[in-house]
Amino acid sequence: QVQFAESGGGEVQPGGSLRLSCVASGSLAYSMGWYLQSPGNQRRIIARIRDSGTTYYADSVKGRFTISRDNAKKTVYLQMDSLKPEDTGVYYCNNVYDTSSWGQGTQVTVSS
């Protein structure tokens, strides 16, 4: 089973930016997603990208986050701009159609 390793999180002030990376142990799936688990909330998908490059964003991040993928590098990225305190949480990436296992995620904290 392909495993994912997320990185790039950290603490940033509101309005700041971060770029997350997710490296896969094998080939990227047809549809890859970034998920956010905020404190006290269930993990939810916030962005996904198909192999064709088609993307989807949750309303909460539309216009601020950009998902991309590099199949040759087996890596999915999430560029996060204009960060808000409500973006705080642990970010994970995964195969949208097989979420049976998860990586450790990367913590993002947006705070002044």
Side-chain angles (χ1 to χ4, degrees):
Q1 188 169 17
V2 177
Q3 297 179 326
F4 302 102
E6 302 91 348
S7 63
E11 187 166 350
V12 63
Q13 292 186 339
S17 297
L18 285 172
R19 189 192 194 206
L20 306 184
S21 298
C22 167
V23 180
S25 62
S27 298
L28 293 179
Y30 167 72
S31 184
M32 293 293 302
W34 278 100
Y35 299 74
L36 166 63
Q37 185 161 20
S38 303
N41 294 310
Q42 289 188 332
R43 186 158 37 202
R44 67 186 191 276
I45 191 166
I46 56 168
R48 68 171 183 248
I49 184 167
R50 293 177 176 171
D51 193 50
S52 62
T54 302
T55 57
Y56 155 86
Y57 297 95
D59 287 343
S60 59
V61 306
K62 199 173 295 181
R64 300 188 297 119
F65 290 11
T66 303
I67 187 172
S68 60
R69 62 191 287 164
D70 185 330
N71 290 340
K73 293 183 178 179
K74 302 176 184 178
T75 302
V76 184
Y77 303 98
L78 186 67
Q79 177 67 40
M80 305 189 297
D81 299 315
S82 302
L83 282 161
K84 303 177 180 180
E86 51 263 44
D87 297 322
T88 293
V90 182
Y91 286 74
Y92 303 85
C93 72
N94 214 333
N95 176 351
V96 171
Y97 294 109
D98 181 2
T99 58
S100 56
S101 67
W102 295 87
Q104 293 196 339
T106 186
Q107 174 72 44
V108 172
T109 302
V110 185
S111 173
S112 55

